[in-house]
């Protein structure tokens, strides 16, 4: 590299984007284009930065694989900042392998971290974990800034898996690395992640007085308290993940094997609504008409609704057999947990069908409709309808038009959105 390229690279490493541009702004050779792209990214001009990095990657020859791989990594980081999740992380993994084979361990680690963060945004914790397993934050020679980013990524994976102790350890190491790197933005990000551990993450709806009158009150829970509740022998209806179960494994009656710890009802909304109503009415019973109104969305039940209610409760009774019985009473149905268990409903910190959508937008980044649909696992049309409703309520706003349209929302103050993020937990 010539002296101007070297000086521009040193300026970028020190965070002086304007100083770097002064040296290479008028040059169009591939190294200069790459440095200009990185500088524009540091200044927040992400679309322009991506265009420059693509031009630089095309400009490097077939024998300059190392330089092209670095451009791929830089472009992927810009795409992540733009919340463009359409690019496959597998290309980043290939770039990381190429960089590691040629001795560029720092950029190889950066590529793996970007790919892991992309998988995390999409709720693919298994793929993210596979990329993060080889990373050792105490490895000698790891650049402090990269160690801080790695610690933050490991902490996010641990938090979304409700491993709070592992998250605290990763954040402690990330803060130490950020202090050594002397990057204020990294320190602020670590402090924000630590503060999130002390914010409410969910609500525990406490049962009523036993006369079927419904929920009397609620209790706000931090992430560590949520993890403790889910690991206990309490029968929990988890409205954050639409599942039912208990942290302690129980034995099925008449069977030698153990029952599954958690039962997913994400694709069975009627059964989930019935389970919620029965748990909220415990230790009393839930009225038939109230169950019909909640599950079937009707205020005028007839005999067909009552017959359907019996069918659906029969299905639910078979599914919850490892944990509880469902008994008919004079006015409705009652849940009877086995082994003297208590019950609880774990509700999201904010109510509404768009909670996960708001949680994704709460990171302050500008999301495209396609990226939101990809992260949520819904169709773009479904996401567009939800965004239109939220925009009418003044809870989100859009910038740009057509394919350049992006969506923003104010931060969700007062609690952490970890449990609202899509696919944060895996269970059978």
């Amino acid at each position: 590299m010539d002296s101007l390229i070297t000086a521009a690279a040193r300026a970028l490493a020190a965070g002086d984007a304007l100083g770097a541009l002064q040296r290479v702004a008028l040059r169009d050779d591939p190294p200069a284009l790459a440095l200009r792209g990185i500088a524009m990214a540091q200044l927040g001009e992400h679309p322009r930065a991506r265009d420059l990095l693509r031009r630089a990657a095309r400009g490097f020859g077939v024998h300059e694989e190392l330089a092209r791989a670095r451009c791929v990594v830089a472009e992927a980081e810009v795409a992540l900042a733009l919340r463009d999740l359409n690019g496959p992380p597998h290309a980043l993994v290939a770039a990381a392998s190429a960089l590691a084979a040629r001795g560029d361990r720092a950029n190889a680690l950066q590529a793996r971290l970007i790919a892991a963060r992309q998988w995390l945004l999409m709720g693919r914790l298994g793929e993210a974990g596979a990329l993060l397993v080889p990373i050792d934050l105490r490895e000698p020679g790891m650049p402090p800034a990269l160690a801080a980013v790695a610690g933050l990524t490991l902490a996010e994976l641990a938090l979304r898996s409700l491993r709070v102790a592992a998250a605290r350890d990763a954040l402690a190491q990330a803060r130490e690395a950020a202090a050594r790197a002397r990057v204020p933005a990294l320190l602020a990000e670590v402090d924000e992640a630590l503060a999130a551990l002390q914010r409410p993450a969910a609500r525990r709806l406490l049962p009523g007085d036993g006369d079927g009158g419904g929920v009397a009150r609620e209790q706000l829970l931090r992430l560590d308290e949520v993890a403790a509740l889910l690991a206990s022998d309490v029968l929990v209806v988890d409205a954050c993940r639409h599942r039912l179960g208990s942290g302690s494994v129980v034995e099925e009656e008449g069977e030698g094997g153990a029952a599954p710890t958690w039962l997913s009802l994400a694709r069975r909304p009627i059964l989930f609504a019935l389970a919620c109503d029965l748990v909220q009415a415990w230790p009393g019973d839930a009225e038939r008409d109230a169950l019909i109104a909640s599950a079937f969305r009707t205020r005028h039940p007839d005999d067909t609704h009552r017959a359907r209610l019996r069918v659906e409760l029969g299905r639910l009774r078979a599914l919850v057999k490892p944990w509880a019985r469902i008994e008919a009473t004079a006015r409705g149905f009652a849940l009877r947990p086995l082994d003297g268990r208590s019950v609880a409903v774990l509700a999201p910190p904010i109510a509404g069908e768009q909670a996960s959508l708001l949680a994704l937008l709460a990171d302050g980044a500008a999301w495209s409709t396609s990226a939101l649909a990809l992260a949520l696992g819904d169709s773009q049309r479904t996401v567009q309808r939800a965004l239109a409703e939220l925009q009418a309520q003044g809870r989100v706003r859009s910038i740009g038009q057509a394919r350049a349209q992006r969506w923003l929302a104010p931060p969700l103050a007062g609690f952490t959105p970890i449990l609202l993020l899509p696919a944060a937990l895996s269970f059978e």
Side-chain angles (χ1 to χ4, degrees), residues 225-296:
E225 295 171 329
V226 171
L229 175 64
L230 296 179
S232 70
D233 63 352
V234 176
L235 178 58
V236 179
V237 174
D238 184 356
C240 299
R241 294 289 167 249
H242 291 85
R243 59 180 183 164
L244 177 147
S246 172
S248 60
V249 178
V250 298
E251 300 292 330
E252 291 192 46
E253 295 181 7
E255 300 287 343
T261 304
W262 292 99
L263 169 68
S264 175
L265 296 175
R267 297 185 179 180
R268 309 184 78 168
I270 291 178
L271 298 187
F272 180 76
L274 291 173
C276 283
D277 290 342
L278 290 172
V279 169
Q280 291 186 45
W282 180 86
D285 56 357
E287 295 183 354
R288 288 178 175 83
D289 288 352
L291 290 172
I292 290 172
S294 175
F296 307 139

Side-chain angles (χ1 to χ4, degrees), residues 17 41 91 102 121 167 171 193 217 222 273 283-284 291 293-294 317 324 337 358 361 382 396 410:
R102 285 159 178 77
L121 282 177
L171 287 175
R217 59 196 185 282
R222 300 189 307 270
L291 290 172
S294 175
R317 183 181 288 112
L358 287 172
L361 292 171
T382 299
V396 302

Side-chain angles (χ1 to χ4, degrees), residues 270-271 274 296 308-317:
I270 291 178
L271 298 187
L274 291 173
F296 307 139
R308 187 182 177 192
L309 176 64
R310 290 194 294 271
V311 171
E312 298 294 347
L313 281 171
R315 293 170 177 165
L316 182 61
R317 183 181 288 112

Side-chain angles (χ1 to χ4, degrees), residues 354 357-367 372 387 390-391 394-399 406-413:
Q354 294 89 13
L357 181 58
L358 287 172
L360 286 173
L361 292 171
D363 64 359
W367 287 72
L372 289 169
L387 289 170
L390 292 172
Q391 188 176 33
R395 304 175 74 180
V396 302
R397 63 184 179 89
S398 64
I399 55 175
R406 296 292 185 271
W407 294 89
L408 296 162
L412 299 175

Side-chain angles (χ1 to χ4, degrees), residues 137-370:
L137 297 181
R138 295 183 174 88
E139 179 182 352
M142 181 182 293
L146 274 181
V149 174
L152 283 166
T153 309
L154 287 166
E156 182 178 355
L157 175 63
L159 286 175
R160 295 183 69 176
S161 303
L162 286 183
R163 294 183 288 111
V164 180
R168 290 185 188 277
D169 182 62
L171 287 175
Q173 296 181 59
R175 199 181 195 294
E176 179 184 349
R180 287 189 285 113
R182 298 181 181 179
V183 179
L186 278 177
L187 278 170
E189 191 172 352
V190 174
D191 289 340
E192 173 62 22
L194 287 168
L197 294 175
Q198 304 303 319
R199 296 179 187 145
R203 295 173 294 139
R204 179 178 180 176
L205 306 183
L206 302 175
D209 54 11
D211 62 356
V215 177
R217 59 196 185 282
E218 64 183 34
Q219 175 187 6
L220 293 177
L221 301 180
R222 300 189 307 270
L223 277 171
D224 56 341
E225 295 171 329
V226 171
L229 175 64
L230 296 179
S232 70
D233 63 352
V234 176
L235 178 58
V236 179
V237 174
D238 184 356
C240 299
R241 294 289 167 249
H242 291 85
R243 59 180 183 164
L244 177 147
S246 172
S248 60
V249 178
V250 298
E251 300 292 330
E252 291 192 46
E253 295 181 7
E255 300 287 343
T261 304
W262 292 99
L263 169 68
S264 175
L265 296 175
R267 297 185 179 180
R268 309 184 78 168
I270 291 178
L271 298 187
F272 180 76
L274 291 173
C276 283
D277 290 342
L278 290 172
V279 169
Q280 291 186 45
W282 180 86
D285 56 357
E287 295 183 354
R288 288 178 175 83
D289 288 352
L291 290 172
I292 290 172
S294 175
F296 307 139
R297 300 290 193 266
T298 180
R299 297 182 180 178
H300 306 288
D302 54 27
D303 289 341
T304 61
H305 292 111
R306 295 184 181 93
R308 187 182 177 192
L309 176 64
R310 290 194 294 271
V311 171
E312 298 294 347
L313 281 171
R315 293 170 177 165
L316 182 61
R317 183 181 288 112
L319 291 174
V320 303
K321 185 179 179 182
W323 302 281
R325 300 188 310 273
I326 297 177
E327 299 177 350
T329 64
R331 68 172 191 167
F333 294 87
L335 187 74
R336 301 290 183 241
L338 302 178
D339 302 325
R341 296 171 183 267
S342 60
V343 300
V345 175
L346 186 67
I350 60 172
E353 297 180 355
Q354 294 89 13
S356 293
L357 181 58
L358 287 172
L360 286 173
L361 292 171
D363 64 359
W367 287 72
S368 66
T369 304
S370 60

